Amino acid sequence: KSFALVREPRDRLFSAVLQRLGEFKDVKGLRADDPQVQAEALRVSEWLAGRGKFHDPEYIHFIRQVDFVDLDGQRMVDRVFLMRDTSTLVQQWVREQTGVPVDFALAHTRREPKGWAAKVQPVARFVGRKLMPRAIKRAIYPLWMNSGAFANAAARYGEIALNPDVERFIAEYYAADAALFAEAGGAQLQ
């Protein structure tokens, strides 16, 4: 028995762009509405446009979700769930299919500095990276990220306008992902 977790394609693109900027360009702690995010989303969409399947490490987070679920048009997993359903529906389904009680939840939420905190972030990052001993940094990092200086980034993705070319790209390139998301119970985008 197998299942897949899917996200709304536009939200997933935002997350992937922020991941790419941090992982491959060492640009971290950006707000989702930062111009660097906008520029990178355009660069990525231009690179991906017209491509079929790929496995380039720098673009791996942009692979269509449907490519993990279907193979040559045939469904390869038993069930598709929304990512946000991990703590309820998925656990219930796994228990029904296997008889094994499981307890897991989506634990990762991308955090971004609030507007006022974005101005403090470069100084805090410098202190954390250059002046603070590693053990102390590790101890206070979770407290800092969960402080009032940060918010859930994904909660704002829908409010942020992307370049019209990027929006068009998402609608076309990730059309099958949007259908998969809707099939799993997600709302269709207008």
Side-chain angles (χ1 to χ4, degrees), residues 10-83:
R10 190 174 183 278
D11 286 3
R12 185 168 174 261
L13 180 98
F14 262 107
S15 180
V17 166
L18 287 160
Q19 178 70 29
R20 175 179 160 72
L21 284 167
E23 189 174 343
F24 294 103
K25 300 199 176 203
D26 199 30
V27 178
K28 298 175 182 165
L30 293 177
R31 290 174 45 86
D33 57 0
D34 189 285
Q36 291 178 80
V37 175
Q38 296 277 341
E40 192 64 21
L42 183 58
R43 274 192 292 280
V44 165
S45 65
E46 289 170 348
W47 187 90
L48 290 170
R51 284 190 195 277
K53 293 184 180 181
F54 61 90
H55 60 275
D56 305 58
E58 286 193 37
Y59 296 91
I60 205 78
H61 295 102
F62 301 96
I63 292 176
R64 293 175 185 103
Q65 295 171 102
V66 74
D67 291 339
F68 295 100
V69 174
D70 296 346
L71 180 63
D72 297 326
Q74 184 176 347
R75 183 61 44 97
M76 300 306 294
V77 299
D78 297 307
R79 192 70 197 273
V80 180
F81 295 99
L82 300 176
M83 181 80 73

Side-chain angles (χ1 to χ4, degrees), residues 28-188:
K28 298 175 182 165
L30 293 177
R31 290 174 45 86
D33 57 0
D34 189 285
Q36 291 178 80
V37 175
Q38 296 277 341
E40 192 64 21
L42 183 58
R43 274 192 292 280
V44 165
S45 65
E46 289 170 348
W47 187 90
L48 290 170
R51 284 190 195 277
K53 293 184 180 181
F54 61 90
H55 60 275
D56 305 58
E58 286 193 37
Y59 296 91
I60 205 78
H61 295 102
F62 301 96
I63 292 176
R64 293 175 185 103
Q65 295 171 102
V66 74
D67 291 339
F68 295 100
V69 174
D70 296 346
L71 180 63
D72 297 326
Q74 184 176 347
R75 183 61 44 97
M76 300 306 294
V77 299
D78 297 307
R79 192 70 197 273
V80 180
F81 295 99
L82 300 176
M83 181 80 73
R84 66 177 178 245
D85 292 338
T86 57
S87 62
T88 55
L89 294 177
V90 176
Q91 290 181 49
Q92 179 183 343
W93 184 82
V94 170
R95 192 171 28 255
E96 289 170 2
Q97 298 300 313
T98 66
V100 177
V102 294
D103 185 23
F104 60 88
L106 181 63
H108 172 73
T109 301
R110 181 172 297 285
R111 307 284 288 165
E112 69 177 5
K114 290 183 178 176
W116 63 267
K119 295 167 183 60
V120 180
Q121 184 71 3
V123 173
R125 185 177 293 118
F126 173 80
V127 170
R129 287 185 177 172
K130 305 290 183 192
L131 304 178
M132 197 175 289
R134 182 175 288 233
I136 293 173
K137 182 169 82 170
R138 275 194 215 152
I140 66 169
Y141 183 78
L143 300 171
W144 171 242
M145 291 304 290
N146 290 312
S147 74
F150 291 86
N152 176 346
R156 292 185 339 106
Y157 293 162
E159 304 165 9
I160 301 167
L162 290 167
N163 176 302
D165 291 335
V166 174
E167 296 286 4
R168 202 168 15 264
F169 168 80
I170 293 168
E172 293 170 7
Y173 188 80
Y174 292 112
D177 281 4
L180 187 64
F181 180 75
E183 174 191 325
Q188 251 336 68

